[in-house]
Amino acid sequence: MTTIDTARLAGMFTAIADAISTDKDRLCALDGVIGDADHGIAMELGFSAARDAVTALDAGATEPSTLLNMAAKSFLNAVGASSGPLYATAFMRGAAAVKGKTALDEADAVAMLQAMAKGIQDRGKAEVGEKTMIDAWAPAAEAAGEALAAGKGLAVSLEAAADAARTGAEATKTMIAAKGRASRLGERSLGHMDPGAASAVTVIDAIRKSLAE
Ligand code: ADP
Ligand code: MG
């Protein structure tokens, strides 16, 4: 049985920050096509700040929900782009989902992922099909929940989430942007992957790798 303590969650932020740094140029290039070319920079700033804040905590004396709230605050302070409040809300909702726990079991980890997706959706008011990060996050959260409910373990459930995110991000190429900066392009946004959906795949896959051992 998997248990994820505060130190493991801090490690998750290091894993996400590393993956996003590696992906930064591709994310900026994708945003350059349908946005303002800063998405990789914004995500790197946000996750570096979140990693620095959570790795500075005394993990033995900090609950998972406190760590996630700290990540939310530092992400928001570091990022001026629209991804700032979206991911900050994700981590705040993740914190609320695991409030009072000293460690997360498999169901808690999936609940955290689902709360994050719901937080992004509540904050940004985007629906699936509007060419945003929700096109990766919503199906990922759903797939993880379905896999867990079907009796799969955390590793398999997070694999299902990452696969669904990848499929969802790919599908944004066929969508016309209806939310955010890219919506100004209308039909000219067709044919291009949404940068926020692309980075969501990177984030979710880093979560999978760091939590699924
Ligand atoms: P900005 O558009 O302010 O420059 P970023 O470049 O960091 O912000 O992020 C752009 C991404 O944010 C988009 O690709 C999209 O996935 C996501 N996004 C924008 N608006 C919304 C929204 N209302 N709901 C969900 N995601 C959104
Ligand atoms: Mg941008």
Side-chain angles (χ1 to χ4, degrees):
M1 190 74 201
T2 313
T3 54
I4 298 157
D5 60 7
T6 301
R8 280 283 293 283
L9 279 181
M12 178 185 89
F13 279 95
T14 301
I16 300 172
D18 285 349
I20 285 291
S21 288
T22 304
D23 207 18
K24 176 182 169 185
D25 292 345
R26 180 185 73 110
L27 298 175
C28 283
L30 286 171
D31 197 27
V33 181
I34 63 167
D36 58 354
D38 68 346
H39 187 59
I41 296 167
M43 291 293 283
E44 185 180 50
L45 277 172
F47 278 106
S48 300
R51 175 205 54 211
D52 291 350
V54 304
T55 52
L57 292 169
D58 177 359
T62 307
E63 284 192 351
S65 68
T66 307
L67 177 145
L68 289 163
N69 276 319
M70 176 69 80
K73 220 178 291 170
S74 29
F75 199 102
L76 187 64
N77 288 338
V79 178
S82 45
S83 42
L86 293 168
Y87 272 99
T89 306
F91 292 124
M92 262 171 348
R93 294 293 187 81
V98 302
K99 196 168 164 50
K101 311 222 178 232
T102 48
L104 316 188
D105 63 18
E106 305 196 329
D108 296 328
V110 170
M112 176 182 77
L113 195 81
Q114 290 179 318
M116 288 173 65
K118 175 91 173 27
I120 294 170
Q121 194 149 24
D122 288 347
R123 187 72 175 82
K125 308 265 183 268
E127 299 294 335
V128 165
E130 293 190 314
K131 198 179 181 96
T132 70
M133 60 176 77
I134 278 302
D135 289 302
W137 270 103
E142 201 182 327
E146 279 171 10
L148 197 77
K152 311 287 186 200
L154 186 62
V156 173
S157 300
L158 292 177
E159 254 167 52
D163 287 345
R166 238 172 252 119
T167 304
E170 200 57 41
T172 64
K173 290 180 181 170
T174 67
M175 296 172 190
I176 296 172
K179 286 282 187 307
R181 207 177 284 281
S183 64
R184 298 171 200 169
L185 291 182
E187 292 204 347
R188 278 180 293 144
S189 66
L190 267 176
H192 311 287
M193 187 183 288
D194 175 67
S199 64
V201 173
T202 304
V203 170
I204 291 164
D205 202 49
I207 293 175
R208 175 191 70 76
K209 274 188 210 147
S210 58
L211 297 188
E213 281 132 31

